[in-house]
Amino acid sequence: MGIPLLRGREFGRSDGAGAPPVAVVNEAFAARHFPGEDPVGRRIVVFRVSREIVGLAGDERFEGIDQGPAPGMYLPIDQNPQPSVTVAIRTAGDPLSA
């Protein structure tokens, strides 16, 4: 997707179901909840689970390019299983063939 990791780290194999809960947040999230501070190493509660912020990602525009970036976060799928997920695929060819 081309969203840069600005600080900290991405998720790895060590961030599985039995590992300490972690999250990566975007710049808009950090600006709203930790203004003027580095969010990496801070803790947040998501779905009643305390998680350490391990990375800061650049902002993305989920609502379209005409909308400003909204606060967002990423959670490892093994630590937050969902009945459905959204997958975004970037392709150089015909998107319908992917």
Side-chain angles (χ1 to χ4, degrees):
M1 297 289 298
I3 301 169
L5 181 67
L6 304 175
R7 276 195 294 291
R9 67 174 179 85
E10 298 175 348
F11 302 132
R13 292 179 190 226
S14 63
D15 296 316
V22 294
V24 171
V25 300
N26 69 3
E27 292 176 288
F29 183 101
R32 176 177 288 177
H33 298 286
F34 304 105
E37 300 177 33
D38 183 355
V40 176
R42 303 291 302 263
R43 298 198 72 81
I44 57 174
V45 176
V46 182
F47 305 123
R48 293 188 228 157
V49 175
S50 178
R51 297 176 176 274
E52 180 183 357
I53 298 173
V54 295
L56 175 66
D59 285 330
E60 61 287 313
R61 295 176 186 264
F62 291 117
E63 303 298 324
I65 61 172
D66 59 334
Q67 300 294 316
M73 75 179 81
Y74 302 92
L75 307 175
I77 192 72
D78 289 341
Q79 292 183 357
N80 189 46
Q82 298 291 311
S84 65
V85 296
T86 300
V87 177
I89 299 173
R90 183 177 184 174
T91 179
D94 178 11
L96 296 177
S97 69

